[in-house]
PDB file of all heavy atoms in Angstrom:
ATOM      1  N   GLY A 114     -24.687  66.715 -24.849  1.00  0.00           N
ATOM      2  CA  GLY A 114     -25.105  66.315 -23.467  1.00  0.00           C
ATOM      3  C   GLY A 114     -24.759  67.351 -22.442  1.00  0.00           C
ATOM      4  O   GLY A 114     -24.508  68.560 -22.791  1.00  0.00           O
ATOM      5  N   HIS A 115     -24.693  67.068 -21.172  1.00  0.00           N
ATOM      6  CA  HIS A 115     -24.478  67.844 -20.064  1.00  0.00           C
ATOM      7  C   HIS A 115     -23.113  68.586 -20.055  1.00  0.00           C
ATOM      8  O   HIS A 115     -22.907  69.600 -19.465  1.00  0.00           O
ATOM      9  CB  HIS A 115     -24.768  67.213 -18.717  1.00  0.00           C
ATOM     10  CG  HIS A 115     -26.065  66.649 -18.495  1.00  0.00           C
ATOM     11  ND1 HIS A 115     -27.205  67.525 -18.524  1.00  0.00           N
ATOM     12  CD2 HIS A 115     -26.644  65.402 -18.337  1.00  0.00           C
ATOM     13  CE1 HIS A 115     -28.302  66.895 -18.366  1.00  0.00           C
ATOM     14  NE2 HIS A 115     -28.020  65.566 -18.262  1.00  0.00           N
ATOM     15  N   PHE A 116     -22.167  67.891 -20.663  1.00  0.00           N
ATOM     16  CA  PHE A 116     -20.731  68.581 -20.786  1.00  0.00           C
ATOM     17  C   PHE A 116     -20.912  69.979 -21.520  1.00  0.00           C
ATOM     18  O   PHE A 116     -20.194  70.927 -21.240  1.00  0.00           O
ATOM     19  CB  PHE A 116     -19.833  67.626 -21.398  1.00  0.00           C
ATOM     20  CG  PHE A 116     -18.483  67.930 -21.135  1.00  0.00           C
ATOM     21  CD1 PHE A 116     -17.872  67.665 -19.829  1.00  0.00           C
ATOM     22  CD2 PHE A 116     -17.565  68.445 -22.167  1.00  0.00           C
ATOM     23  CE1 PHE A 116     -16.539  68.056 -19.685  1.00  0.00           C
ATOM     24  CE2 PHE A 116     -16.212  68.711 -21.889  1.00  0.00           C
ATOM     25  CZ  PHE A 116     -15.788  68.449 -20.616  1.00  0.00           C
ATOM     26  N   ALA A 117     -21.789  69.962 -22.446  1.00  0.00           N
ATOM     27  CA  ALA A 117     -22.016  71.236 -23.282  1.00  0.00           C
ATOM     28  C   ALA A 117     -22.572  72.275 -22.419  1.00  0.00           C
ATOM     29  O   ALA A 117     -22.322  73.534 -22.646  1.00  0.00           O
ATOM     30  CB  ALA A 117     -22.886  70.955 -24.466  1.00  0.00           C
ATOM     31  N   GLU A 118     -23.510  71.884 -21.464  1.00  0.00           N
ATOM     32  CA  GLU A 118     -23.945  72.993 -20.443  1.00  0.00           C
ATOM     33  C   GLU A 118     -22.899  73.712 -19.872  1.00  0.00           C
ATOM     34  O   GLU A 118     -22.779  74.864 -19.680  1.00  0.00           O
ATOM     35  CB  GLU A 118     -24.967  72.352 -19.509  1.00  0.00           C
ATOM     36  CG  GLU A 118     -26.237  71.787 -20.164  1.00  0.00           C
ATOM     37  CD  GLU A 118     -27.063  71.106 -19.110  1.00  0.00           C
ATOM     38  OE1 GLU A 118     -26.539  70.317 -18.241  1.00  0.00           O
ATOM     39  OE2 GLU A 118     -28.267  71.225 -19.147  1.00  0.00           O
ATOM     40  N   GLN A 119     -21.871  72.901 -19.225  1.00  0.00           N
ATOM     41  CA  GLN A 119     -20.783  73.354 -18.639  1.00  0.00           C
ATOM     42  C   GLN A 119     -19.864  74.366 -19.483  1.00  0.00           C
ATOM     43  O   GLN A 119     -19.363  75.338 -19.076  1.00  0.00           O
ATOM     44  CB  GLN A 119     -19.948  72.395 -17.945  1.00  0.00           C
ATOM     45  CG  GLN A 119     -20.636  71.371 -16.895  1.00  0.00           C
ATOM     46  CD  GLN A 119     -19.829  70.184 -16.543  1.00  0.00           C
ATOM     47  OE1 GLN A 119     -18.654  70.299 -16.202  1.00  0.00           O
ATOM     48  NE2 GLN A 119     -20.419  69.034 -16.442  1.00  0.00           N
ATOM     49  N   THR A 120     -19.794  73.790 -20.755  1.00  0.00           N
ATOM     50  CA  THR A 120     -18.983  74.581 -21.789  1.00  0.00           C
ATOM     51  C   THR A 120     -19.553  75.909 -22.065  1.00  0.00           C
ATOM     52  O   THR A 120     -18.841  76.902 -21.954  1.00  0.00           O
ATOM     53  CB  THR A 120     -18.867  73.797 -23.063  1.00  0.00           C
ATOM     54  OG1 THR A 120     -18.339  72.404 -22.840  1.00  0.00           O
ATOM     55  CG2 THR A 120     -17.972  74.583 -24.060  1.00  0.00           C
ATOM     56  N   ILE A 121     -20.922  76.023 -22.293  1.00  0.00           N
ATOM     57  CA  ILE A 121     -21.577  77.301 -22.477  1.00  0.00           C
ATOM     58  C   ILE A 121     -21.445  78.222 -21.405  1.00  0.00           C
ATOM     59  O   ILE A 121     -21.081  79.393 -21.494  1.00  0.00           O
ATOM     60  CB  ILE A 121     -23.011  77.011 -22.813  1.00  0.00           C
ATOM     61  CG1 ILE A 121     -23.185  76.324 -24.082  1.00  0.00           C
ATOM     62  CG2 ILE A 121     -23.803  78.337 -22.791  1.00  0.00           C
ATOM     63  CD1 ILE A 121     -24.551  75.760 -24.401  1.00  0.00           C
ATOM     64  N   ASN A 122     -21.545  77.792 -20.180  1.00  0.00           N
ATOM     65  CA  ASN A 122     -21.411  78.607 -19.012  1.00  0.00           C
ATOM     66  C   ASN A 122     -20.042  79.059 -18.668  1.00  0.00           C
ATOM     67  O   ASN A 122     -19.827  80.273 -18.387  1.00  0.00           O
ATOM     68  CB  ASN A 122     -21.951  77.821 -17.762  1.00  0.00           C
ATOM     69  CG  ASN A 122     -23.508  77.670 -17.681  1.00  0.00           C
ATOM     70  OD1 ASN A 122     -24.156  78.489 -18.225  1.00  0.00           O
ATOM     71  ND2 ASN A 122     -23.983  76.554 -17.111  1.00  0.00           N
ATOM     72  N   LYS A 123     -19.118  78.255 -19.008  1.00  0.00           N
ATOM     73  CA  LYS A 123     -17.726  78.661 -18.832  1.00  0.00           C
ATOM     74  C   LYS A 123     -17.370  79.767 -19.941  1.00  0.00           C
ATOM     75  O   LYS A 123     -16.690  80.745 -19.639  1.00  0.00           O
ATOM     76  CB  LYS A 123     -16.675  77.481 -19.126  1.00  0.00           C
ATOM     77  CG  LYS A 123     -15.239  77.641 -19.013  1.00  0.00           C
ATOM     78  CD  LYS A 123     -14.470  76.461 -19.153  1.00  0.00           C
ATOM     79  CE  LYS A 123     -12.907  76.667 -18.898  1.00  0.00           C
ATOM     80  NZ  LYS A 123     -12.377  77.454 -20.097  1.00  0.00           N
ATOM     81  N   TRP A 124     -17.812  79.541 -21.107  1.00  0.00           N
ATOM     82  CA  TRP A 124     -17.547  80.506 -22.123  1.00  0.00           C
ATOM     83  C   TRP A 124     -18.244  81.919 -21.888  1.00  0.00           C
ATOM     84  O   TRP A 124     -17.674  82.904 -22.083  1.00  0.00           O
ATOM     85  CB  TRP A 124     -18.098  80.088 -23.516  1.00  0.00           C
ATOM     86  CG  TRP A 124     -17.731  80.824 -24.724  1.00  0.00           C
ATOM     87  CD1 TRP A 124     -16.468  80.749 -25.399  1.00  0.00           C
ATOM     88  CD2 TRP A 124     -18.279  81.988 -25.134  1.00  0.00           C
ATOM     89  NE1 TRP A 124     -16.327  81.720 -26.364  1.00  0.00           N
ATOM     90  CE2 TRP A 124     -17.468  82.581 -26.196  1.00  0.00           C
ATOM     91  CE3 TRP A 124     -19.402  82.749 -24.928  1.00  0.00           C
ATOM     92  CZ2 TRP A 124     -17.782  83.598 -27.019  1.00  0.00           C
ATOM     93  CZ3 TRP A 124     -19.791  83.888 -25.544  1.00  0.00           C
ATOM     94  CH2 TRP A 124     -18.968  84.320 -26.691  1.00  0.00           C
ATOM     95  N   ILE A 125     -19.483  81.857 -21.469  1.00  0.00           N
ATOM     96  CA  ILE A 125     -20.206  83.118 -20.982  1.00  0.00           C
ATOM     97  C   ILE A 125     -19.549  83.753 -19.941  1.00  0.00           C
ATOM     98  O   ILE A 125     -19.216  85.142 -19.991  1.00  0.00           O
ATOM     99  CB  ILE A 125     -21.595  82.802 -20.673  1.00  0.00           C
ATOM    100  CG1 ILE A 125     -22.370  82.243 -21.855  1.00  0.00           C
ATOM    101  CG2 ILE A 125     -22.272  83.994 -19.907  1.00  0.00           C
ATOM    102  CD1 ILE A 125     -22.738  83.328 -22.864  1.00  0.00           C
ATOM    103  N   LYS A 126     -19.047  83.074 -18.930  1.00  0.00           N
ATOM    104  CA  LYS A 126     -18.370  83.790 -17.830  1.00  0.00           C
ATOM    105  C   LYS A 126     -17.052  84.421 -18.312  1.00  0.00           C
ATOM    106  O   LYS A 126     -16.727  85.481 -17.795  1.00  0.00           O
ATOM    107  CB  LYS A 126     -17.970  82.631 -16.814  1.00  0.00           C
ATOM    108  CG  LYS A 126     -17.485  83.263 -15.406  1.00  0.00           C
ATOM    109  CD  LYS A 126     -17.306  82.202 -14.368  1.00  0.00           C
ATOM    110  CE  LYS A 126     -16.840  82.694 -13.094  1.00  0.00           C
ATOM    111  NZ  LYS A 126     -16.729  81.682 -12.037  1.00  0.00           N
ATOM    112  N   GLU A 127     -16.294  83.705 -19.177  1.00  0.00           N
ATOM    113  CA  GLU A 127     -15.016  84.305 -19.629  1.00  0.00           C
ATOM    114  C   GLU A 127     -15.041  85.321 -20.758  1.00  0.00           C
ATOM    115  O   GLU A 127     -14.174  86.152 -20.901  1.00  0.00           O
ATOM    116  CB  GLU A 127     -14.067  83.120 -19.963  1.00  0.00           C
ATOM    117  CG  GLU A 127     -13.766  82.183 -18.850  1.00  0.00           C
ATOM    118  CD  GLU A 127     -12.962  80.975 -19.303  1.00  0.00           C
ATOM    119  OE1 GLU A 127     -12.716  80.784 -20.535  1.00  0.00           O
ATOM    120  OE2 GLU A 127     -12.474  80.081 -18.478  1.00  0.00           O
ATOM    121  N   ASN A 128     -16.101  85.122 -21.531  1.00  0.00           N
ATOM    122  CA  ASN A 128     -16.178  86.037 -22.614  1.00  0.00           C
ATOM    123  C   ASN A 128     -17.290  87.051 -22.703  1.00  0.00           C
ATOM    124  O   ASN A 128     -17.093  88.135 -23.373  1.00  0.00           O
ATOM    125  CB  ASN A 128     -16.207  85.179 -23.985  1.00  0.00           C
ATOM    126  CG  ASN A 128     -15.067  84.319 -24.282  1.00  0.00           C
ATOM    127  OD1 ASN A 128     -14.078  84.774 -24.940  1.00  0.00           O
ATOM    128  ND2 ASN A 128     -15.050  83.046 -23.674  1.00  0.00           N
ATOM    129  N   ALA A 129     -18.358  86.781 -22.161  1.00  0.00           N
ATOM    130  CA  ALA A 129     -19.582  87.780 -22.212  1.00  0.00           C
ATOM    131  C   ALA A 129     -19.610  88.669 -20.993  1.00  0.00           C
ATOM    132  O   ALA A 129     -19.863  89.771 -21.087  1.00  0.00           O
ATOM    133  CB  ALA A 129     -20.777  86.948 -22.326  1.00  0.00           C
ATOM    134  N   LEU A 130     -19.268  88.090 -19.827  1.00  0.00           N
ATOM    135  CA  LEU A 130     -19.354  88.909 -18.611  1.00  0.00           C
ATOM    136  C   LEU A 130     -18.504  90.139 -18.576  1.00  0.00           C
ATOM    137  O   LEU A 130     -18.867  91.106 -18.133  1.00  0.00           O
ATOM    138  CB  LEU A 130     -19.204  88.060 -17.370  1.00  0.00           C
ATOM    139  CG  LEU A 130     -20.405  87.082 -16.948  1.00  0.00           C
ATOM    140  CD1 LEU A 130     -20.230  86.679 -15.482  1.00  0.00           C
ATOM    141  CD2 LEU A 130     -21.802  87.629 -17.319  1.00  0.00           C
ATOM    142  N   PRO A 131     -17.193  90.014 -19.147  1.00  0.00           N
ATOM    143  CA  PRO A 131     -16.474  91.242 -19.117  1.00  0.00           C
ATOM    144  C   PRO A 131     -17.015  92.289 -20.005  1.00  0.00           C
ATOM    145  O   PRO A 131     -16.902  93.462 -19.700  1.00  0.00           O
ATOM    146  CB  PRO A 131     -15.135  90.637 -19.733  1.00  0.00           C
ATOM    147  CG  PRO A 131     -15.043  89.305 -19.328  1.00  0.00           C
ATOM    148  CD  PRO A 131     -16.495  88.702 -19.442  1.00  0.00           C
ATOM    149  N   PHE A 132     -17.797  91.887 -21.119  1.00  0.00           N
ATOM    150  CA  PHE A 132     -18.329  92.835 -21.947  1.00  0.00           C
ATOM    151  C   PHE A 132     -19.586  93.570 -21.226  1.00  0.00           C
ATOM    152  O   PHE A 132     -19.714  94.715 -21.462  1.00  0.00           O
ATOM    153  CB  PHE A 132     -18.862  92.127 -23.232  1.00  0.00           C
ATOM    154  CG  PHE A 132     -19.323  93.066 -24.334  1.00  0.00           C
ATOM    155  CD1 PHE A 132     -18.356  93.749 -25.088  1.00  0.00           C
ATOM    156  CD2 PHE A 132     -20.644  93.427 -24.535  1.00  0.00           C
ATOM    157  CE1 PHE A 132     -18.659  94.606 -26.032  1.00  0.00           C
ATOM    158  CE2 PHE A 132     -20.915  94.284 -25.538  1.00  0.00           C
ATOM    159  CZ  PHE A 132     -19.976  94.856 -26.289  1.00  0.00           C
ATOM    160  N   ILE A 133     -20.318  92.838 -20.359  1.00  0.00           N
ATOM    161  CA  ILE A 133     -21.513  93.523 -19.703  1.00  0.00           C
ATOM    162  C   ILE A 133     -21.014  94.643 -18.783  1.00  0.00           C
ATOM    163  O   ILE A 133     -21.849  95.577 -18.500  1.00  0.00           O
ATOM    164  CB  ILE A 133     -22.404  92.288 -18.929  1.00  0.00           C
ATOM    165  CG1 ILE A 133     -23.771  92.894 -18.808  1.00  0.00           C
ATOM    166  CG2 ILE A 133     -21.753  91.963 -17.671  1.00  0.00           C
ATOM    167  CD1 ILE A 133     -24.775  91.879 -18.176  1.00  0.00           C
ATOM    168  N   GLU A 134     -19.789  94.454 -18.390  1.00  0.00           N
ATOM    169  CA  GLU A 134     -19.333  95.498 -17.376  1.00  0.00           C
ATOM    170  C   GLU A 134     -19.109  96.906 -18.071  1.00  0.00           C
ATOM    171  O   GLU A 134     -18.967  97.872 -17.402  1.00  0.00           O
ATOM    172  CB  GLU A 134     -17.943  95.042 -16.755  1.00  0.00           C
ATOM    173  CG  GLU A 134     -18.105  93.906 -15.766  1.00  0.00           C
ATOM    174  CD  GLU A 134     -19.142  94.217 -14.686  1.00  0.00           C
ATOM    175  OE1 GLU A 134     -19.088  95.405 -14.127  1.00  0.00           O
ATOM    176  OE2 GLU A 134     -19.969  93.238 -14.340  1.00  0.00           O
TER     177      GLU A 134
END
Side-chain angles (χ1 to χ4, degrees):
H115 293 300
F116 199 70
E118 292 177 323
Q119 298 172 45
T120 302
I121 292 170
N122 288 328
K123 181 177 183 293
W124 190 91
I125 292 293
K126 187 175 182 179
E127 294 176 355
N128 294 273
L130 288 199
F132 192 78
I133 203 173
E134 292 304 319

